[in-house]
Amino acid sequence: MGMADGTPVGRRVVLGMLAAGVGGVLFGSKAATVLERVVAPLALRDGTGLLSLFPVGRFRFYSVTGPVPARSEAEYRLAVGGAVATPLTLTLADLRALPVTRLTEDFVCVTGWRVHDVKWKGVRLSELLDRAGVAGSAQGVLFRSFDGLYTETLSLAQARRDDVIVAYEMEGGPVIHDHGGPVRLYCAPMFGYKSIKWLDRIELTEADPGPGYWANRGYDIDGWLPGAEGRVDRPG
Ligand SMILES: Nc1nc2c(c(=O)[nH]1)N[C@H]1C(S)=C(S)[C@@H](COP(=O)(O)O)O[C@H]1N2
Ligand SMILES: [Mo]
């Protein structure tokens, strides 16, 4: 989200050309293109986070916490816990060994930017829930990020949709760090803020998990894209 939604760019907003060093941290030292090195460091800071002003590739990057320490594919673990029969700790290899789901959908941020036909690959969240064995007492799902701040939540029915995946590939390659890699949630029927980046824990909660990071700040807790709630999964 980043740009103060629906409000004119106000005095809180400082348009800063970040020092090249800061851009390097935010966008990764392995930035592949000149675009990423030269253009991406032009960022808008609005008091809630940092948003790249110009697309990098087809995307903008957004993080409420600014730079997030990278986690390598080898050290990455995803925990599934809380109200489950069998808590899981999954490596990236474990995730890749599970049945694959591919989705191609527009990625839509509530602030107005949209990326058409983004290809995602991962494992259905429902697959992980089934493997962990959701307890009858579970009321919802809470997602945590290794940025240490961002959270998201889904109802059990939302979490079981066919178009909600734990994604490890995007646009034909690994989910890169800036996009929340090695693993992020991709919740196709909802606005981008539901797709938590740098996912490291999925928790089945005994109470209603309530709002996540942005819903706590006024956004709709469900975040349905127009028409998407009743939509059936379109694989591909
Ligand atoms: N951990 C974390 N996840 C996050 C965010 C964030 O700031 N931190 N921003 C959300 C918002 S508002 C959007 S639009 C998308 C942006 O994804 P991108 O940076 O890959 O374009 O990630 C979502 N997930
Ligand atoms: Mo967003």
Side-chain angles (χ1 to χ4, degrees), residues 1 109-110 113 192-193:
M1 314 219 271
C109 174
V110 73
W113 53 274
Y193 65 88

Side-chain angles (χ1 to χ4, degrees), residues 59-205:
F59 266 81
R60 289 163 200 271
F61 294 129
Y62 185 68
S63 166
V64 297
T65 47
V68 174
R71 198 157 289 187
S72 73
E73 297 201 348
E75 68 188 326
Y76 178 79
R77 298 290 183 276
L78 175 63
V80 184
V84 296
T86 315
L88 308 175
T89 304
L90 302 164
T91 65
L92 199 64
D94 293 333
L95 290 171
R96 287 183 179 280
L98 294 171
V100 171
T101 293
R102 291 183 173 82
L103 295 166
T104 303
E105 295 288 349
D106 290 1
F107 190 86
V108 189
C109 174
V110 73
T111 57
W113 53 274
R114 171 188 289 261
V115 188
H116 293 275
D117 297 329
V118 182
K119 292 192 173 72
W120 299 88
K121 178 176 162 182
V123 52
R124 285 205 172 104
L125 177 58
S126 65
E127 178 77 29
L128 301 184
L129 299 187
D130 289 347
R131 281 173 193 258
V134 176
S137 56
Q139 299 296 312
V141 190
L142 171 68
F143 302 87
R144 293 187 187 280
S145 167
F146 61 81
D147 69 10
L149 178 67
Y150 206 89
T151 57
E152 254 310 333
T153 63
L154 291 174
S155 70
L156 286 174
Q158 290 167 352
R160 291 198 178 285
R161 285 179 62 109
D162 283 348
D163 53 2
V164 177
I165 66 173
V166 169
Y168 49 75
E169 280 189 29
M170 180 186 164
E171 300 283 67
V175 176
I176 62 169
H177 177 69
D178 295 311
H179 284 309
V183 174
R184 76 182 291 172
L185 190 71
Y186 175 53
C187 186
M190 299 181 185
F191 282 110
Y193 65 88
K194 299 297 288 190
S195 291
I196 185 172
K197 308 204 292 186
W198 306 296
L199 175 66
D200 74 343
R201 184 168 168 81
I202 299 171
E203 211 172 299
L204 280 293
T205 57

Side-chain angles (χ1 to χ4, degrees), residues 25 42 124:
V25 172
L42 283 170
R124 285 205 172 104

